[in-house]
Amino acid sequence: METKTLSKAAPIIELPKPLEQLSEGEVERKACIGRLMTYTLNNLTSQFVEKDFQWLLPVALSQSTDPLWPDPGASIEKRIEVDIYGKTVRTTASMIIHKLIASSLAYPKLFILSPNIRIEKAERAKTGKHIYEFTQLDFEARNASTKGVMTLVEEVICNLLTSMKQDMKEELSLLCRCDTLELPKRPFKVYDRQELEVDYGADWEEGIAQETSDPVWVTNIPREFYDFEDFTTGKWDNYDLFMPQYGEVLSGAKREWEYEKILKKIERDNVDKYNYALVLKLAKEEKLKPTAGGGIGMERLVGWISGVEHVAETQPFPRAGNSAR
Ligand code: ASP
Ligand code: MG
């Protein structure tokens, strides 16, 4: 079967200018995006708290951060490791393992505004979608299902957009998003990654983002050991959320909780077992519970809402390229 060709090759996006180089008009635009970020953080955290999710504070250094492997979407150039008190720890790539442990043991429904550091290959800065420091609203719920998480995410995003369109008209119109930012219809469509590969080939992420005019879910994406994989069908019970004309803003999954499966996948992936000793021990003692969750990239979500060219425009101090302030 022939694959569809994308309408244009991925454009190279300029890195955003630092604060002190912005013109007056550019400062106004930056401040507008900043107000949409404040609105979004306030709105989403309130919604999660109202739904009885507990708000945990983040960890910055740990032994068991996200391996980001073997996710074909990740392109990590370097991992930051440091020795403290005689132990090697890494800067947080995501708090996925902490979420599984916290949700299983003490906080059944939780979320964290979690700063993540992912030093991706330098050329990725030019996609306009990658920054080396970002913050996700990372959430997890014990005994939740994929359907349950999808419904929750659709509800909180539609609530956010509904109230934002009422309360932030001035900002949205300055960013020319008043008319183009539409309230999506629920439930969002769900695609299987395999179908999209047939249609678009390896570049299915770009393909579906360009083609759709509504947010869509994509399921069954092979990646890290902690996402649930059905060994009989070979299908992965995980999901990414893609925004129209933009791309991925959330990834999540139902999780593995059984010792034998986790061990097998860690070994299969060649991931260092030592770093995941605690989660393995808890699984072996049957203290790890089935959970599901996801993480909403805050810069990407607000970037999509604001219609920015480069996601780093949503950051006061852009974390892309080599011009760190
Ligand atoms: N937050 C994601 C999850 O919940 C993991 C990631 O950051 O990639 O699955
Ligand atoms: Mg991931």
Side-chain angles (χ1 to χ4, degrees):
M1 182 162 195
E2 228 176 283
T3 56
K4 292 182 195 173
T5 37
L6 301 179
S7 54
K8 46 183 185 289
I12 292 184
I13 312 279
E14 292 289 309
L15 296 183
K17 282 193 247 167
L19 273 186
E20 74 279 7
Q21 290 171 20
L22 300 179
S23 68
E24 224 173 277
E26 289 166 339
V27 166
E28 199 187 342
R29 186 181 147 81
K30 188 89 178 175
C32 247
I33 299 171
R35 289 196 292 277
L36 294 183
M37 178 63 86
T38 300
Y39 191 94
T40 302
L41 290 168
N42 189 31
N43 179 287
L44 292 184
T45 53
S46 304
Q47 288 196 66
F48 274 89
V49 170
E50 269 163 33
K51 289 178 187 300
D52 273 337
F53 280 74
Q54 292 184 59
W55 191 343
L56 308 196
L57 294 174
V59 298
L61 293 170
S62 68
Q63 183 178 4
S64 57
T65 199
D66 193 331
L68 296 181
W69 179 260
D71 178 352
S75 75
I76 298 304
E77 176 159 311
K78 124 190 275 181
R79 291 165 198 275
I80 302 173
E81 292 188 347
V82 56
D83 283 347
I84 50 171
Y85 311 120
K87 182 167 180 162
T88 305
V89 289
R90 279 157 283 278
T91 50
T92 295
S94 96
M95 282 180 59
I96 179 66
I97 303 298
H98 302 86
K99 289 200 303 176
L100 304 191
I101 294 172
S103 175
S104 295
L105 298 187
Y107 310 89
K109 290 164 75 176
L110 65 90
F111 73 96
I112 315 137
L113 280 175
S114 173
N116 293 181
I117 296 183
R118 300 184 185 179
I119 315 294
E120 310 227 23
K121 299 241 182 295
E123 60 269 20
R124 280 213 157 181
K126 302 192 189 93
T127 62
K129 295 291 178 323
H130 294 90
I131 41 187
Y132 59 82
E133 283 182 54
F134 66 96
T135 296
Q136 53 174 322
L137 195 164
D138 218 0
F139 62 94
E140 199 70 19
R142 201 187 286 174
N143 294 322
S145 63
T146 286
K147 188 78 198 102
V149 171
M150 286 179 174
T151 307
L152 168 81
V153 168
E154 292 173 12
E155 185 187 328
V156 296
I157 288 187
C158 289
N159 284 344
L160 165 70
L161 294 175
T162 305
S163 28
M164 185 182 266
K165 281 167 78 72
Q166 282 163 12
D167 300 342
M168 304 301 277
K169 285 204 179 84
E170 215 175 287
E171 286 76 6
L172 292 171
S173 85
L174 192 137
L175 296 164
C176 305
R177 288 292 275 153
C178 254
D179 301 326
T180 53
L181 189 65
E182 283 173 24
L183 195 63
K185 281 183 254 355
R186 283 188 275 165
F188 302 170
K189 266 201 200 142
V190 183
Y191 292 91
D192 186 298
R193 180 256 328 160
Q194 275 172 322
E195 296 163 31
L196 297 179
E197 275 177 353
V198 172
D199 282 351
Y200 302 103
D203 212 4
W204 58 267
E205 297 203 16
E206 191 58 28
I208 187 65
Q210 273 187 28
E211 194 130 308
T212 183
S213 49
D214 291 299
V216 295
W217 294 103
V218 180
T219 61
N220 186 24
I221 308 162
R223 53 188 176 209
E224 290 88 352
F225 70 84
Y226 48 76
D227 282 6
F228 189 91
E229 182 183 359
D230 184 330
F231 279 175
T232 44
T233 62
K235 288 212 182 268
W236 291 72
D237 195 351
N238 57 12
Y239 35 83
D240 278 3
L241 178 64
F242 286 81
M243 292 317 203
Q245 315 309 309
Y246 191 75
E248 188 233 300
V249 296
L250 170 150
S251 75
K254 182 181 147 167
R255 316 297 181 183
E256 301 287 3
W257 73 94
E258 290 167 319
Y259 175 72
E260 292 300 335
K261 278 187 85 184
I262 297 179
L263 181 65
K264 196 168 178 168
K265 291 172 81 181
I266 285 183
E267 286 176 346
R268 179 182 78 185
D269 295 351
N270 246 325
V271 162
D272 188 350
K273 236 184 290 183
Y274 171 78
N275 292 337
Y276 301 98
L278 176 57
V279 79
L280 280 165
K281 174 175 177 290
L282 292 170
K284 197 169 193 175
E285 293 167 353
E286 296 185 1
K287 288 183 183 147
L288 204 64
K289 303 273 165 46
T291 66
I296 308 173
M298 295 314 300
E299 293 86 348
R300 285 191 181 177
L301 178 63
V302 173
W304 170 70
I305 290 171
S306 310
V308 298
E309 285 254 291
H310 199 297
V311 63
E313 284 179 62
T314 64
Q315 298 179 300
F317 300 96
R319 308 332 264 161
N322 61 2
S323 60
R325 292 297 191 272

